Amino acid sequence: MANDASAVSDTRSPQSLADPFTPAADSSLWRKNFLLGAATASYQIEGAVAEDGRLPSIWDTFSATPGKVLAGDTGAVACDHYHRWQEDVDMLAGLGLEGYRLSIAWPRVMGAAGAPNRKGLDFYKRLLARLKEKGITTFVTLYHWDLPQHLEDRGGWLNRDTAYRFADYADLMSRELAGSVDAWATLNEPWCSAYLGYGNGHHAPGLADGRFATQAMHHLLLAHGLAVPVLRANDPASQKGIVANMGRGTANSDSAADQRAAHLFEVQHNAWILDPLLKGAYPRDLFELWPGTEPLVLDGDLQTIAAPLDFLGVNYYFRTNLASDGAHGFTEVPPEGVERTQMGWEVHPDGLRDLLTGFRKTYANLPPIYITENGMASDDKVTDGHVDDTQRIAFLKRHLAAVDQAIKAGVDVRGYFLWSLMDNFEWAFGYERRFGVVHVDYATQKRTIKRSAELVAKFLRERKLLT
């Protein structure tokens, strides 16, 4: 397929477009009300970790611990977005992106005693005001993993009190920012916070115990449930939801044991979060997989967690192929000869479609969905002032086609956010893995728009002309 979109006029009909990104002419993405944006997270881009009253987070502590993050990288400077936010918003708007999903750094806006930090709050007020001036829809995530360290010192998400402190934080933010946020997401990827943070230690705070993981998850979901009515009361015009990373599990064979293995993988990756949110109960199979890890659940907790949602954010990156471990669990069997990203993750767009259509069948009360993260890492280089990220272009087109297939199958998907707007601190992988559609030179902080972003911008210009 041709790789030069410059020869295609922006005024031609979608049927005639043949560049490597443009969706098919009958794609749902041509709908004017299908939101197309980009996403970031506070610790991954902001830097300025000790400025204007910001307190330490668990990721400051974790990334400063030798051996925890690749190459000893930290988020101390990251993309320096705290100082370059105006430039970054102008870049976002210049690309024509319609939505921006960002997160607020809890340690930047509240002191240890719960008092507001005005300088931190003012940063987000200025940022959101600028986004509104540009006509960009704002999706704000309250918790994208950067728990204040002082709360972790008191037990973090293993301490039930943290859920109530989160509700206080949600109360402050929704009072201060009411009217400037189109959609609030309480949590980003509680599976990662609970399992990677407390179950296997790969992420901050670096604890590793199965019982810790399930208890942390319960308190995370309780925090979500406590925050939703607060957000509704303080900012009634906005949407309220949660963002979860979803994993597609496929069986290595037709055997009953391997089919069961794939099922259990999706239970621990998806139903662990969605069942309490949408059914008011934890899946029983979870504790077959992890016996003896049942969390302490108090009367009324599950009703609180199951607060009605206006939307569900779905983050998707790859599938996992599973076989039975011969006992009561599963083992991964990576397929050979498949396309992979810099992360080593298989490129499997059908998994996104299958998850979305499966959720529609499983949950009668499934809310409208936004794909809040989808993207890939590649070892991008700037050559003669350009970044030709051909693999990402093909990745995005194929995954957007999968979203279109899900919509045509009846799933209410209302938008899609590229992960990520720009290269950034990729958690335990530091700065080696580049997910952005904009390249960042970390030494100079120069931003270079990649070919993928140019083609997304071109599509949005075309759609605007046609709708």
Side-chain angles (χ1 to χ4, degrees), residues 42-44 46-61 63 75-76 82 104-112 117-121 123-124 144-150 427:
S42 53
Y43 190 73
Q44 294 182 268
E46 284 181 1
V49 296
E51 290 189 37
D52 293 337
R54 181 189 178 278
L55 300 178
S57 78
I58 57 174
W59 270 96
D60 296 307
T61 303
S63 61
Y82 189 74
I104 292 170
W106 189 349
R108 197 180 292 286
V109 295
M110 287 187 83
N117 175 24
R118 288 294 163 194
K119 289 184 177 180
L121 284 165
F123 167 71
Y124 293 108
H144 201 128
W145 306 354
D146 41 2
L147 183 71
Q149 181 61 46
H150 66 85
W427 306 111

Side-chain angles (χ1 to χ4, degrees), residues 248 250 316-321 332-350 375-376 391 395 398-399:
R248 174 61 174 151
T250 56
Y316 172 81
Y317 290 97
F318 59 96
R319 73 148 173 178
T320 304
N321 194 55
E332 184 176 349
V333 184
E336 297 180 359
V338 298
E339 180 186 358
R340 296 188 181 277
T341 70
Q342 187 190 20
M343 295 291 287
W345 297 343
E346 180 188 1
V347 177
H348 191 75
D350 287 354
M376 58 157 285
Q391 186 186 15
F395 179 102
R398 291 162 62 194
H399 283 79

Side-chain angles (χ1 to χ4, degrees), residues 160 190 194 213-223 267-268 270-288 290 293-298 301-303 305-306 363:
R160 184 182 176 92
T214 54
Q215 193 63 61
M217 177 65 83
H218 182 66
H219 290 154
L220 282 154
L221 295 178
L222 179 63
V267 165
Q268 65 89 25
N270 306 335
W272 186 16
I273 296 95
L274 295 184
D275 276 17
L277 289 170
L278 301 176
K279 293 183 175 180
Y282 286 106
R284 292 184 179 181
D285 289 355
L286 181 68
F287 305 111
E288 172 190 327
W290 294 334
T293 65
E294 293 87 344
L296 176 62
V297 178
L298 301 187
D301 282 2
L302 289 168
Q303 292 92 327
I305 290 168
Y363 301 102

Side-chain angles (χ1 to χ4, degrees), residues 250-268:
T250 56
N252 195 52
S253 77
D254 291 333
S255 74
D258 285 358
Q259 295 291 324
R260 179 67 175 169
H263 166 74
L264 289 174
F265 173 86
E266 292 201 355
V267 165
Q268 65 89 25

Side-chain angles (χ1 to χ4, degrees), residues 20 68 71 107 158 354 387 411 445:
K68 297 297 186 182
L158 299 178
D354 294 345
V387 181
V411 185
Q445 292 297 336

Side-chain angles (χ1 to χ4, degrees), residues 194-435:
Y195 186 74
L196 299 182
Y198 292 87
N200 72 3
H202 183 64
H203 280 185
L207 303 181
D209 187 305
R211 293 170 298 176
F212 289 174
T214 54
Q215 193 63 61
M217 177 65 83
H218 182 66
H219 290 154
L220 282 154
L221 295 178
L222 179 63
H224 157 80
L226 292 168
V228 168
V230 172
L231 296 171
R232 291 200 186 282
N234 291 343
D235 195 10
S238 61
Q239 297 183 75
K240 289 83 183 173
I242 188 171
V243 170
N245 56 306
M246 300 284 102
R248 174 61 174 151
T250 56
N252 195 52
S253 77
D254 291 333
S255 74
D258 285 358
Q259 295 291 324
R260 179 67 175 169
H263 166 74
L264 289 174
F265 173 86
E266 292 201 355
V267 165
Q268 65 89 25
H269 219 96
N270 306 335
W272 186 16
I273 296 95
L274 295 184
D275 276 17
L277 289 170
L278 301 176
K279 293 183 175 180
Y282 286 106
R284 292 184 179 181
D285 289 355
L286 181 68
F287 305 111
E288 172 190 327
L289 182 64
W290 294 334
T293 65
E294 293 87 344
L296 176 62
V297 178
L298 301 187
D299 288 347
D301 282 2
L302 289 168
Q303 292 92 327
T304 298
I305 290 168
L309 300 172
D310 299 323
F311 74 93
L312 172 67
V314 170
N315 295 355
Y316 172 81
Y317 290 97
F318 59 96
R319 73 148 173 178
T320 304
N321 194 55
L322 291 312
S324 171
D325 65 359
H328 301 289
F330 53 77
T331 185
E332 184 176 349
V333 184
E336 297 180 359
V338 298
E339 180 186 358
R340 296 188 181 277
T341 70
Q342 187 190 20
M343 295 291 287
W345 297 343
E346 180 188 1
V347 177
H348 191 75
D350 287 354
L352 176 55
R353 178 201 62 212
D354 294 345
L355 283 171
L356 294 173
T357 55
F359 294 155
R360 181 172 180 265
K361 294 175 182 176
T362 302
Y363 301 102
N365 58 338
L366 184 71
I369 287 173
Y370 289 88
I371 308 303
T372 36
E373 289 184 26
N374 180 236
M376 58 157 285
S378 55
D379 186 18
D380 299 324
K381 302 288 194 304
V382 179
T383 304
D384 297 328
H386 301 282
V387 181
D388 193 10
D389 53 339
T390 55
Q391 186 186 15
R392 180 175 291 104
I393 293 164
F395 179 102
L396 295 176
K397 181 170 183 176
R398 291 162 62 194
H399 283 79
L400 284 163
V403 172
D404 177 54
Q405 291 165 10
I407 292 171
K408 289 173 178 173
V411 185
D412 186 3
V413 185
R414 299 188 179 182
Y416 174 100
F417 290 82
L418 303 154
W419 184 268
S420 174
L421 174 63
M422 53 190 165
D423 299 334
N424 53 53
F425 177 78
E426 183 46 40
W427 306 111
F429 293 100
Y431 294 102
E432 181 185 81
R433 316 293 168 93
R434 293 180 175 271
F435 275 89

Side-chain angles (χ1 to χ4, degrees), residues 38-41 100-104 124 127-128 131 138-141:
T40 63
Y100 182 48
R101 177 177 171 242
L102 65 139
S103 77
I104 292 170
Y124 293 108
L127 173 60
L128 289 165
L131 289 164
T138 53
F139 275 60
V140 173
T141 305

